[in-house]
Amino acid sequence: MTARQSPPLRPLTERLRPDNTPLSLAEYERHGGFQGLRAALKMGPQDVTGMVKTAGLRGRGGAGFPTGVKWGLVPMGPEAPKQKYVVANGDEMEPGTFKDRLLLEGDPLQFIEGMIIAGYAIGASIGYVFLRAEYTLAAQRLLAAMAECEARQLLGRNILGTGFDFTLYLHTSAGRYICGEETALLNSLEGKRAVPRSKPPFPATAGLFGKPTVVNNIETLCNVPHIVHYGADWYRDLSAKTTGNADGGTKLYGVSGKVKHPGCWELPMGTPARAIVEQHAGGMREGLQLRGFLPGGASTDFLTAAQLDVPMDYDSIAKAGSRMGTGLLIVLDDKTPLLGMLRNLEKFFAIESCGWCTPCRDGLPWTERILADFEAGRARAGDIELLRQQTRLLGPGRTFCAHAPGAMEPLQSALKHFPQDFEAALRGTEGD
Amino acid sequence: MLTPDELREIEHELSHYAQPQAATIEALKIVQKHRGWVSDEAVADIATALNSTPATVDAVASFYNLIYRKPVGRHVIHVCDSVSCWIMGQTRLSELLKARLGIDYGQTTPDGRFTLLPICCLGTCDRAPAMLIGSDTHRDLESVDAARLDALLERYP
């Protein structure tokens, strides 16, 4: 960690200490902190949004929606509603994902700076951090950093003497994966059951308490100060120059499963999965082969060992038949039973269904039971076709939100890439 | 009746929101922090404090897995049973815990010390399998044995 003059290559994690203890406000400012906010406050709000749009920043929470476009949908000007909100989605609960925890525990001020800039860009005077309950260390460090900012007029009224007011509140949640869905999150923040809302209207026009609201992921917001400080062109140039990669910036990638060194690293957007698994995670443990991987959490389609060279950017992964999701890989090795892994995944989604719509509430436990039959050698002829049918009936367009379609992604891709596992389980049943 | 401390803390949270009902989850957590769990009576008292109804507050309380509507032990153990921990040996960890504590998921030890529950991904998958005891995250439990587990549990009297 050194004070630097030239723009950083790993802007989000460069300031992190090896033990991940956060910087004080004074230290943060010595290392370039709040330069982005100071620059933003000298620009018009719409120019800040334009800059984020030009930079090509896409949402890091899973959906990959362009952040500047999202901000641009918020009504601005004298006719716009007076009260607007920015909400940070820190409900990191996608199985296999542990990047926002790192950013919040290690550098809460960077996140706060991004949050204030987002508030300025859309004209919001109040921000909420929606944080999952279990991240107690992140909560402590955030509250300490917020207090430091309030004492130095970086949060609250008349920020840095510019007349811009922005108050930040921390809301710690009480569990449930569905809170990560942005409209379910807004209901939860309003003190209700976290059931997703019908869209449209989108939160940009009618969000928290019916007011225009932007919901952004923690990692997404951490990119913002750097974009404003160093510029959109610098940001675009950070990404890997791999074929088909239209995205800018860096990405926090990670690996869990039976690799030698599981972890999380900030790398150029579009780094190939092979480099992440083999170089950064040290490859598979002795005696194990990689069979497949979920590229971005539990709700993404399996890719296979033959697809390891795919660049980990939104478009390239989509072309390979999956989704970037959160960008943290879960690795399936050749000794871990695929059917057991699938059953674990579908049980998770079944438990975490909010129960609002029938296909999801009833279809997910049914799917889990069929997989349990395969696992226990009780599956019957026709059950493979039944599973395929589930992936259609619980797929996009059939349910109220993306929960059940997400749950079908690992299943449909397992049926496509690894049909032999299902067939072998059936043969075992017939042999009894 | 909510205690003066509980009411004061709830009032503080109320000031963060445009509508009082928005503080429902905070109010439930405040009561639970003081009492360990949320009784029917507390649900009704929270409803009164927030100008809401007991049915509305209970609908919220019963939705969230970290609000307890039944008494729990002094320390709640949450074992992550999501996919990365499962790959890294969570089943073994859960079985060992159940054996050492003599209880199944959803149960409390007879001395009222521990309640055992599963929980979804704790966001520490690079150091799986993991579990929470109270608010402490314990990691790297792949090769934990009975002796090490007992030593860990000893820290929670």
Side-chain angles (χ1 to χ4, degrees):
Chain A
M1 198 181 72
T2 51
R4 67 157 47 250
Q5 305 304 316
S6 56
L9 289 170
R10 305 284 181 267
L12 274 66
T13 56
E14 197 170 66
R15 282 187 290 247
L16 296 187
R17 292 189 170 113
D19 66 355
N20 216 32
T21 52
L23 278 65
S24 69
L25 180 52
E27 289 170 313
Y28 180 72
E29 289 198 289
R30 265 206 303 284
H31 293 280
F34 285 108
Q35 292 302 315
L37 176 65
R38 287 170 196 278
L41 292 172
K42 292 192 185 112
M43 298 162 62
Q46 271 118 326
D47 296 334
V48 176
T49 299
M51 205 167 174
V52 171
K53 221 181 268 182
T54 310
L57 174 62
R58 293 174 68 171
R60 303 292 197 242
F65 192 80
T67 306
V69 175
K70 203 180 217 184
W71 294 4
L73 297 171
V74 174
M76 297 294 286
E79 303 293 303
K82 286 269 172 295
Q83 187 63 65
K84 305 178 214 171
Y85 297 103
V86 183
V87 177
N89 186 342
D91 194 53
E92 183 167 73
M93 284 178 116
E94 180 70 27
T97 304
F98 46 99
K99 62 184 181 68
D100 296 337
R101 178 203 279 271
L102 181 77
L103 293 170
L104 286 175
E105 290 180 353
D107 199 354
L109 288 162
Q110 167 177 258
F111 156 72
I112 292 169
E113 185 180 356
M115 191 81 179
I116 304 169
I117 297 173
Y120 178 72
I122 68 154
S125 60
I126 294 180
Y128 292 96
V129 188
F130 189 103
L131 185 69
R132 65 175 298 185
E134 298 87 342
Y135 282 9
T136 47
L137 182 61
Q140 279 169 28
R141 290 181 175 177
L142 254 177
L143 287 172
M146 282 159 59
E148 272 195 292
C149 290
E150 282 157 14
R152 284 280 314 283
Q153 222 187 344
L154 288 157
L155 275 176
R157 296 193 71 79
N158 192 19
I159 289 176
L160 295 173
T162 59
F164 171 58
D165 301 335
F166 188 76
T167 305
L168 188 58
Y169 297 114
L170 173 66
H171 169 93
T172 61
S173 184
R176 299 307 297 272
Y177 171 74
I178 197 65
C179 290
E181 200 277 348
E182 70 173 8
T183 60
L185 183 149
L186 294 176
N187 275 338
S188 188
L189 202 47
E190 290 183 7
K192 299 170 182 159
R193 291 167 76 94
V195 174
R197 295 177 180 176
S198 176
K199 291 180 280 192
F202 290 91
T205 50
L208 187 65
F209 304 118
K211 304 296 183 192
T213 304
V214 156
V215 184
N216 283 142
N217 167 263
I218 300 288
E219 183 187 353
T220 309
L221 287 163
C222 289
N223 279 277
V224 169
H226 306 287
I227 291 171
V228 180
H229 185 193
Y230 297 109
D233 291 341
W234 161 82
Y235 188 79
R236 294 201 74 90
D237 279 348
L238 282 178
S239 62
K241 301 295 165 280
T242 40
T243 318
N245 179 12
D247 300 321
T250 60
K251 177 79 192 75
L252 265 70
Y253 295 111
V255 184
S256 64
K258 293 196 172 167
V259 291
K260 288 202 182 89
H261 309 295
C264 180
W265 313 274
E266 183 184 11
L267 300 169
M269 174 66 85
T271 300
R274 185 183 298 283
I276 299 168
V277 173
E278 294 180 357
Q279 289 166 29
H280 298 279
M284 301 303 289
R285 286 186 178 182
E286 288 309 321
L288 295 178
Q289 299 283 325
L290 181 143
R291 256 192 107 191
F293 60 101
L294 302 170
S299 62
T300 58
D301 286 271
F302 275 102
L303 295 176
T304 65
Q307 293 172 296
L308 263 178
D309 291 308
V310 64
M312 290 280 291
D313 64 76
Y314 295 94
D315 296 342
S316 302
I317 300 180
K319 229 167 112 185
S322 187
R323 285 193 307 122
M324 168 80 115
T326 61
L328 280 86
L329 295 79
I330 304 165
V331 167
L332 168 68
D333 60 84
D334 59 343
K335 300 271 167 63
T336 294
L338 169 76
L339 293 173
M341 179 172 171
L342 279 174
R343 190 205 169 181
N344 174 280
L345 289 165
E346 298 309 328
K347 183 180 178 189
F348 164 81
F349 287 112
I351 289 172
E352 296 301 334
S353 168
C354 80
W356 179 257
C357 72
T358 310
C360 180
R361 182 186 59 234
D362 290 354
L364 289 175
W366 185 14
T367 306
E368 190 218 328
R369 282 198 300 277
I370 304 168
L371 286 166
D373 286 346
F374 273 99
E375 215 190 348
R378 290 191 306 261
R380 289 163 304 199
D383 279 355
I384 294 179
E385 191 41 48
L386 190 55
L387 283 176
R388 286 189 206 284
Q389 184 183 306
Q390 299 289 77
T391 66
R392 291 189 294 271
L393 294 177
L394 295 176
R398 304 278 191 164
T399 57
F400 196 67
C401 82
H403 180 82
M408 292 302 105
E409 290 184 23
L411 177 58
Q412 71 195 9
S413 50
L415 286 160
K416 180 172 78 180
H417 295 305
F418 311 114
Q420 64 274 25
D421 290 59
F422 297 87
E423 287 153 11
L426 265 190
R427 277 198 304 277
T429 316
E430 286 158 8
D432 286 344
Chain B
M1 285 272 282
L2 299 176
T3 66
D5 276 353
E6 288 167 342
L7 275 171
R8 189 174 39 75
E9 289 175 43
I10 292 170
E11 287 292 325
H12 175 74
E13 294 296 334
L14 274 177
S15 68
H16 297 177
Y17 298 102
Q19 295 167 4
Q21 292 86 346
T24 303
I25 292 161
E26 278 86 352
L28 288 162
K29 289 177 74 169
I30 287 165
V31 166
Q32 183 165 292
K33 183 185 75 183
H34 288 283
R35 308 178 189 192
W37 67 295
V38 181
S39 66
D40 289 350
E41 188 205 346
V43 164
D45 292 341
I46 289 170
T48 306
L50 300 182
N51 197 19
S52 185
T53 66
T56 307
V57 173
D58 197 27
V60 173
S62 56
F63 186 88
Y64 294 93
N65 60 296
L66 294 174
I67 302 296
Y68 311 129
R69 289 286 277 111
K70 286 189 215 167
V72 292
R74 288 195 296 285
H75 311 282
V76 179
I77 303 178
H78 281 108
V79 185
C80 172
D81 66 352
S82 290
V83 63
S84 299
C85 281
W86 179 84
I87 291 172
M88 301 305 290
Q90 163 264 319
T91 312
R92 189 183 151 276
L93 172 63
S94 300
E95 292 311 314
L96 194 56
L97 269 168
K98 289 176 188 174
R100 299 315 287 174
L101 297 171
I103 53 173
D104 205 341
Y105 279 142
Q107 296 179 340
T108 300
T109 53
D111 59 1
R113 188 167 158 209
F114 292 111
T115 297
L116 186 63
L117 289 168
I119 195 162
C120 90
C121 186
L122 291 172
T124 186
C125 322
D126 52 338
R127 300 182 60 186
M131 65 176 172
L132 280 176
I133 305 181
S135 61
D136 303 335
T137 307
H138 297 279
R139 304 169 161 94
D140 299 318
L141 299 168
E142 186 181 3
S143 56
V144 72
D145 56 17
R148 228 183 95 202
L149 194 60
D150 286 348
L152 188 58
L153 295 173
E154 274 310 304
R155 286 154 57 184
Y156 298 88

